[in-house]
Amino acid sequence: MFHGPRRAPAAPLLLALLCVGLLSSAVLSGCTAGASASPPGGSPTATAAEDDVGVDIGNGRPTVSFDGPMVRRRVVLAVEADADPPALRARLEQRASAAQLVLADISPDVLPAGVLEQGVPQLTELLSMGATEDQARTLLSSTGPTNDQYFVLSVLVHDLRFAVSSADPVALADAIAREGILSDALGNYGTTVDANTLNVTYLGALLGDDVVNAVRNGMARAAGLTADQVRVTAGTLGGAGVDMATEPEPAQVAIAENGSGHGHDATAATAAPTQLSVNVRLLYGIGLAILLLASATIVLWATRRRVPASEIEPEPRDRE
């Protein structure tokens, strides 16, 4: 008897579905990996260990309650130069003087983690209060080779003055220097002497409250006083400064550029990952839709396929 048409074997159908599943998994894995990695401009998260220290390069922002006029947003210029750094520094100084700007060497600690991950710049210069990113780029427009990599960023800095009373502030400054507490906590700092007062000034990366308190304790111990007798004020007078309670998290990665490029500040860098994330999700959605459509087409084709009549073998007849 005739058994009717034979359907296509199940193996090709299962193989096709398996391929579609693997492709979907690969696309999904790629999308997930991109989402889990820290994107440009993403906010680094500080661990508990990082919160216990003051200034850690590339770590999350420390707890800062000494803010307001004591915290400033300033423009910084960092250069990874192929040329001789001292010669480039001299050219920058010359152009800054002509533009009525002042450059000050500052620790690379003020830079975002993304910059430091690419390497520590040979030059890190802080521009005058009120200077703009465009002014910083102008300084580099004709100072050296165009293949110098540079970063122009708006960063937060601590501008602090520690003051303690002393009958002999010069001797107190020497005693503090010998102890080394300020060098360990602050790195670079300055000292000035007024009448019966020693002033320690600091301009650099944000300090955690624990570091500020350690400096106060060290100065007080050398002066034979208590920590609350060491006053902490703004190093530069005027202006409201920055309220850290309302300040957004810093950008993690800044974009390197050459001498002919356009500058990027921390705000501009944070916009890129959002657009990138949207594009990745859009591409993933389109790709998944195509894969699902292809899968449905294969299933429909496989279930409707018939074996041509010429290939159907008749049932053998009984011979009389």
Side-chain angles (χ1 to χ4, degrees), residues 103-315:
L103 297 181
D105 294 330
I106 195 166
S107 169
D109 295 359
V110 300
L111 300 174
V115 176
L116 298 175
E117 287 170 359
Q118 299 178 44
V120 178
Q122 288 93 331
L123 292 176
T124 306
E125 302 295 328
L126 189 71
L127 274 69
S128 310
M129 184 84 73
T132 66
E133 290 92 336
D134 287 340
Q135 288 177 305
R137 296 183 189 101
T138 301
L139 294 180
L140 275 172
S141 60
S142 62
T143 54
T146 57
N147 60 344
D148 287 346
Q149 296 296 308
Y150 69 91
F151 303 86
V152 174
L153 297 166
S154 176
V155 300
L156 296 179
V157 298
H158 241 145
D159 187 359
L160 301 175
R161 181 185 299 273
F162 300 86
V164 61
S165 298
S166 173
D168 190 348
V170 174
L172 176 59
D174 292 340
I176 291 175
R178 286 194 301 270
E179 186 177 356
I181 180 63
L182 298 190
S183 296
D184 293 340
L186 303 178
N188 295 325
Y189 65 94
T191 58
T192 59
V193 174
D194 295 332
N196 299 324
T197 303
L198 171 65
N199 300 297
V200 171
T201 56
Y202 168 81
L203 182 63
L206 293 177
L207 302 177
D209 290 350
D210 53 344
V211 176
V212 173
N213 290 327
V215 171
R216 298 178 75 185
N217 285 326
M219 294 179 64
R221 182 171 57 252
L225 302 173
T226 60
D228 58 356
Q229 291 177 289
V230 177
R231 302 176 297 279
V232 184
T233 59
T236 303
L237 301 179
V242 176
D243 181 2
M244 295 301 296
T246 61
E247 186 67 19
E249 284 297 316
Q252 184 178 3
V253 177
I255 302 174
E257 38 192 8
N258 59 30
S260 60
H262 296 288
H264 296 265
D265 58 21
T267 303
T270 58
T274 301
Q275 184 63 41
L276 178 63
S277 177
V278 171
N279 290 340
V280 169
R281 289 197 296 268
L282 179 61
L283 290 175
Y284 168 70
I286 293 173
L288 184 58
I290 293 174
L291 289 174
L292 291 176
L293 181 60
S295 176
T297 302
I298 292 172
V299 171
L300 184 61
W301 171 80
T303 55
R304 291 186 175 181
R305 183 173 180 270
R306 297 290 186 273
V307 179
S310 60
E311 298 180 11
I312 300 175
E313 297 180 2
E315 289 292 322

